[in-house]
Amino acid sequence: MNQPLQPAPLNNDAFKSQRQLTMVIYALYGAGYFLGGIPAIVAIIINHIKRNEIKDPMLVSHFTWQIRTFWITLGLCIFGALTALLGVGFVIFFAAMIWNIYRLVRGVLNLIENKPMPTPHP
């Protein structure tokens, strides 16, 4: 049974540091749109390196959200590139970009409000 996530105390220095890192990672993903994707690659590397250090359930949900967003977007972009010659690839690529921006904005807004991200149910 799913239990609600318990927020970490906001005066906890480790929590504040990890929350700030999570926000920096969102910023790197966003900067990837303007800097050729390199910041997004840096962000996914940080996500994978730091994932096991994040203990707060709310922040863990954001890390999972960020990682899933990156890999699903990459998969959709590859699929879009492969189908570009058929004419539908550009639509897929555009839809992936809009979906990615939506997930980044939703993640940042939830992080600002100290809310967890939804997790997929198996």
Side-chain angles (χ1 to χ4, degrees):
M1 183 171 256
N2 290 343
Q3 295 181 348
L5 298 175
Q6 298 298 320
L10 293 179
N11 60 354
N12 183 331
D13 288 338
F15 174 79
K16 287 181 181 180
S17 174
Q18 291 175 354
R19 184 178 180 279
Q20 184 176 19
L21 174 65
T22 307
M23 186 62 78
V24 167
I25 291 171
Y26 277 120
L28 285 169
Y29 282 123
Y33 278 100
F34 304 102
L35 300 172
I38 301 299
I41 293 169
V42 172
I44 193 65
I45 290 169
I46 294 170
N47 270 138
H48 283 290
I49 289 172
K50 293 290 194 175
R51 185 177 196 172
N52 291 333
E53 295 177 21
I54 305 298
K55 301 300 180 203
D56 182 81
M58 187 267 297
L59 295 177
V60 168
S61 75
H62 280 272
F63 264 62
T64 301
W65 179 267
Q66 291 169 336
I67 291 168
R68 287 179 51 82
T69 300
F70 176 86
W71 290 115
I72 293 170
T73 301
L74 181 62
L76 289 171
C77 288
I78 290 170
F79 182 67
L82 293 174
T83 58
L85 295 176
L86 302 175
V88 294
F90 299 107
V91 174
I92 293 169
F93 193 77
F94 180 74
M97 181 182 69
I98 297 300
W99 180 78
N100 181 270
I101 292 169
Y102 159 76
R103 286 184 59 104
L104 292 177
V105 170
R106 183 173 177 195
V108 167
L109 292 176
N110 276 17
L111 185 60
I112 289 170
E113 296 177 1
N114 290 314
K115 293 181 182 176
M117 299 310 298
T119 55
H121 301 296

